[in-house]
Amino acid sequence: MNETEANTLGLRIQAGRKAAGLSQEALGEQLGVSRQAVSKWESDAAIPELENLIAMSRLFGVSVGVLLGVESASAEEPSDKELAAVEAIAEKYAEQAFPTKRLKRMGLTAAVIVLIIAVGIWVMQWKNNLRITDLNEQLVALQTQMNDIQNDVAGLTTQMRELLHEQDGLVSNAQWDIGRVNLEEDTVSVNFYLSPKLNTETTEAMLVATLPDGYSQSEMMQPGNTARGFFSVKNWELPMMQNIRISVIFTDNGVAQQEELRILDLRPENFTLSVDGFLACHYTEYSRTVQIKSFNLTIYSPDHHVYPLSGELCLFRNGETEPEVSIPFTTLLRESHDSLKPKYDVQLEDMTGYETSFELSDGDTVAAAIRVTDNYGSSHYAGVKIFALDSSGKIFVDQPTDWQPGTT
């Protein structure tokens, strides 16, 4: 399948960006938007503004119609110069085939008439294509306006709901935070704290989590100081899912009242770092010695709940799960504040104090990798290069995109 003929707008934007050799961050910089905005476009979670669609069509070298999937990538719109050139060619052909004096004597011949009609039909077809492209662009603009209106309405609805809760709700204050994250079991432990507007010594509170499939799980809250009137629950384990509705049920003297507190988005990607790195290595084909000259690293975090705790430059020999060499660079991790979400950068051009080299023997494989461990204990690998010797003793390198220790 041609890259410009992908099934959705997001896939076509992703294909065009990759064909142009741009990262999400680089494309965002050229368009004046964030990397997260580009990511939402490519996942079809949002639609770009009209001016961004036009700008991307120019960057990718395709028409807006091709980008929107309403026009074949093989079709190209003729410019005014191209249309003028076609007309000039037709006139020149007519003058050469039928001189003026002869035309005066014979009038227009059938061949000239056919040529003129053909050119006219061709020009009309292109004008129709241009009209269709204009209509499609207008449709995209209308869709964008509709999305903006829907977002505004959703925002107003949320504000109204919050105001109503403040006036008529059962809870005066509610807070929550993340306790633990277990990516292996796809669970998140959360802590909740809330205060009811009316509270007595006999008031009981229970939290209820309703999952998208309709299944629900509950947890009794522990009462705090009655005078302060708050309840809490700690390390309540919930599955990693989107749209988990959290409600509280207050019971007092056999009378129960329920109120929805919030909707949680606990998908795994909300607790996973995105790590991108590169290792620059030096070696000669038959030296059997490899030296790491420099490396750079960029880490994106979905929010401040997850962050890099440590960083190491590791060497794994022959598929071992533990590194033969581990050189920490945790002190070099610095948070960048020029991004909408937490971002960390490391650029190490001078390897003084971080010198790394290794020898290769016959049958050996050595994987050089940047390892980042987050605050939840999950390890992420980037810039992986696997070195080995071929049958002639020459070094060859593989650069897998998805690698874990224990593999070669």
Side-chain angles (χ1 to χ4, degrees):
M1 179 179 69
N2 190 294
E3 288 184 345
T4 57
E5 296 178 350
N7 293 330
T8 69
L9 173 59
L11 291 176
R12 285 188 288 275
I13 291 174
Q14 183 185 73
R17 172 179 64 77
K18 291 182 177 180
L22 297 172
S23 65
Q24 289 184 344
E25 187 173 18
L27 178 58
E29 290 177 354
Q30 295 206 32
L31 299 177
V33 300
S34 66
R35 182 191 69 85
Q36 288 78 11
V38 176
S39 177
K40 286 183 179 180
W41 297 344
E42 294 187 353
S43 62
D44 292 308
I47 298 176
E49 298 290 339
L50 177 59
E51 56 267 26
N52 288 328
L53 282 169
I54 295 173
M56 281 189 287
S57 72
R58 292 171 179 168
L59 282 173
F60 302 160
V62 299
S63 69
V64 175
V66 169
L67 196 58
L68 293 172
V70 297
E71 178 183 345
S72 171
S74 60
E76 298 181 1
E77 298 178 1
S79 63
D80 293 338
K81 290 183 178 180
E82 290 172 329
L83 291 174
V86 171
E87 294 175 357
I89 291 171
E91 292 175 0
K92 186 175 181 181
Y93 178 85
E95 290 174 0
Q96 291 178 349
F98 301 95
T100 304
K101 291 182 179 179
R102 186 178 177 186
L103 286 174
K104 288 181 180 179
R105 293 195 306 268
M106 299 176 59
L108 294 176
T109 65
V112 174
I113 292 172
V114 169
L115 178 61
I116 292 174
I117 292 173
V119 171
I121 293 173
W122 186 83
V123 171
M124 290 176 63
Q125 287 176 338
W126 278 114
K127 286 183 177 180
N128 286 334
N129 287 338
L130 290 174
R131 291 193 191 98
I132 292 172
T133 301
D134 289 340
L135 289 173
N136 286 328
E137 291 179 354
Q138 293 175 19
L139 177 60
V140 171
L142 288 173
Q143 289 175 336
T144 301
Q145 293 175 6
M146 287 295 296
N147 287 336
D148 292 341
I149 292 172
Q150 289 175 352
N151 291 335
D152 291 341
V153 171
L156 289 172
T157 302
T158 300
Q159 293 177 12
M160 291 178 63
R161 185 182 296 115
E162 292 174 352
L163 289 172
L164 290 173
H165 274 181
E166 291 180 4
Q167 295 177 0
D168 304 324
L170 305 174
V171 178
S172 62
N173 182 42
Q175 299 178 4
W176 76 289
D177 58 46
I178 301 295
R180 295 192 303 268
V181 173
N182 190 331
L183 292 172
E184 293 182 356
E185 297 184 5
D186 289 337
T187 59
V188 179
S189 295
V190 297
N191 305 316
F192 270 90
Y193 310 88
L194 59 85
S195 301
K197 289 183 177 180
L198 299 176
N199 183 51
T200 68
E201 293 184 354
T202 58
T203 301
E204 295 181 342
M206 180 176 65
L207 286 180
V208 178
T210 303
L211 307 183
D213 58 6
Y215 176 78
S216 64
Q217 59 187 74
S218 60
E219 186 79 6
M220 290 299 300
M221 303 191 75
Q222 298 300 314
N225 188 312
T226 304
R228 296 175 61 188
F230 72 88
F231 292 83
S232 66
V233 63
K234 294 184 178 181
N235 295 322
W236 185 24
E237 192 172 85
L238 297 174
M240 285 187 169
M241 291 183 178
Q242 188 180 19
N243 296 328
I244 299 178
R245 295 181 175 273
I246 304 297
S247 302
V248 61
I249 299 176
F250 292 113
T251 304
D252 199 345
N253 293 323
V255 178
Q257 293 179 292
Q258 182 171 351
E259 179 179 334
E260 184 175 293
L261 297 175
R262 63 187 65 247
I263 300 176
L264 301 184
D265 183 356
L266 302 181
R267 288 173 295 175
E269 53 264 36
N270 292 340
F271 305 95
T272 304
L273 295 177
S274 174
V275 182
D276 185 20
F278 178 77
L279 289 174
C281 302
H282 173 73
Y283 59 90
T284 56
E285 291 182 343
Y286 295 98
S287 67
R288 298 194 174 204
T289 300
V290 179
Q291 180 183 14
I292 298 177
K293 299 290 290 183
S294 65
F295 71 88
N296 59 68
L297 177 68
T298 302
I299 305 170
Y300 292 98
S301 172
D303 55 43
H304 289 281
H305 287 305
V306 56
Y307 53 87
L309 197 62
S310 64
E312 306 164 88
L313 188 59
C314 299
L315 301 178
F316 297 84
R317 190 178 294 269
N318 298 330
E320 293 292 331
T321 56
E322 294 298 325
E324 177 182 277
V325 175
S326 174
I327 301 177
F329 57 84
T330 305
T331 56
L332 300 178
L333 290 170
R334 293 289 185 270
E335 183 175 356
S336 173
H337 296 284
D338 60 352
S339 178
L340 295 177
K341 289 189 176 182
K343 174 185 173 184
Y344 304 81
D345 296 292
V346 176
Q347 290 189 355
L348 195 60
E349 303 297 335
D350 181 3
M351 294 291 289
T352 303
Y354 299 90
E355 294 87 352
T356 313
S357 63
F358 57 89
E359 299 287 334
L360 284 169
S361 301
D362 291 337
D364 274 354
T365 60
V366 174
I370 301 169
R371 177 165 68 183
V372 174
T373 303
D374 62 32
N375 55 306
Y376 296 124
S378 298
S379 294
H380 312 266
Y381 295 89
V384 179
K385 292 189 177 184
I386 298 180
F387 298 85
L389 299 175
D390 63 16
S391 57
S392 65
K394 177 181 175 181
I395 293 178
F396 68 91
V397 186
D398 187 21
Q399 301 184 60
T401 56
D402 187 12
W403 178 88
Q404 294 292 323
T407 58
T408 57

